[in-house]
Amino acid sequence: MFIRVDFPDPDGPINAILAVRVDSVQGFELMPIGVAADRQCSGIGSRLLTHGIAVARQAGFAAADTQVFASNARMLRLLLALGFIPVRMEYHRGPEGEDLVHLKLRL
């Protein structure tokens, strides 16, 4: 499922994307987001994640899961600031050997 959130112009270019995986057994997962390079650090990522979390709450999920490479310090800081907690690490999972951090937010 893709969630489109237009900030601020619905007819303008797509500056960011958020996809989620919804499964009745495995739960609600926020997939990695993408924000255009010239729009990063402008609050779009935070708004996308906040909206995704609201969708999970409205759908009645008890938690939201996500993952981020440990080398992506900005995204890791953002997720921690939103209340996500690290629950598991996978080592050497990225194309350049990066470690993958799995996080969970209790709703």
Side-chain angles (χ1 to χ4, degrees), residues 67-79:
Q67 52 199 358
V68 63
F69 286 116
S71 59
N72 189 346
R74 284 191 299 188
M75 181 55 71
L76 188 54
R77 279 193 304 272
L78 174 57
L79 291 167

Side-chain angles (χ1 to χ4, degrees), residues 18-19 28-33 49 64-68 75 79 84-88 100-105:
L18 168 68
F28 190 93
E29 182 178 2
L30 296 163
M31 305 305 288
I33 66 171
L49 290 170
D65 298 308
T66 194
Q67 52 199 358
V68 63
M75 181 55 71
L79 291 167
F84 282 85
I85 57 169
V87 293
R88 180 166 62 100
L100 188 63
V101 183
H102 293 263
L103 302 106
K104 182 178 289 288
L105 175 67

Side-chain angles (χ1 to χ4, degrees), residues 2-97:
F2 289 96
I3 299 172
R4 182 176 174 145
V5 183
D6 299 304
F7 303 114
D9 180 8
D11 297 321
I14 295 175
N15 294 305
I17 189 163
L18 168 68
V20 299
R21 185 180 332 188
V22 179
D23 183 280
S24 60
V25 175
Q26 295 185 3
F28 190 93
E29 182 178 2
L30 296 163
M31 305 305 288
I33 66 171
V35 178
D38 64 333
R39 300 301 304 265
Q40 291 180 2
C41 298
S42 68
I44 291 176
S46 178
R47 288 184 285 179
L48 278 176
L49 290 170
T50 300
H51 183 74
I53 291 165
V55 168
R57 279 193 180 106
Q58 291 169 356
F61 286 93
D65 298 308
T66 194
Q67 52 199 358
V68 63
F69 286 116
S71 59
N72 189 346
R74 284 191 299 188
M75 181 55 71
L76 188 54
R77 279 193 304 272
L78 174 57
L79 291 167
L80 293 171
L82 290 172
F84 282 85
I85 57 169
V87 293
R88 180 166 62 100
M89 290 281 296
E90 289 184 72
Y91 299 99
H92 311 293
R93 286 298 307 249
E96 296 179 18

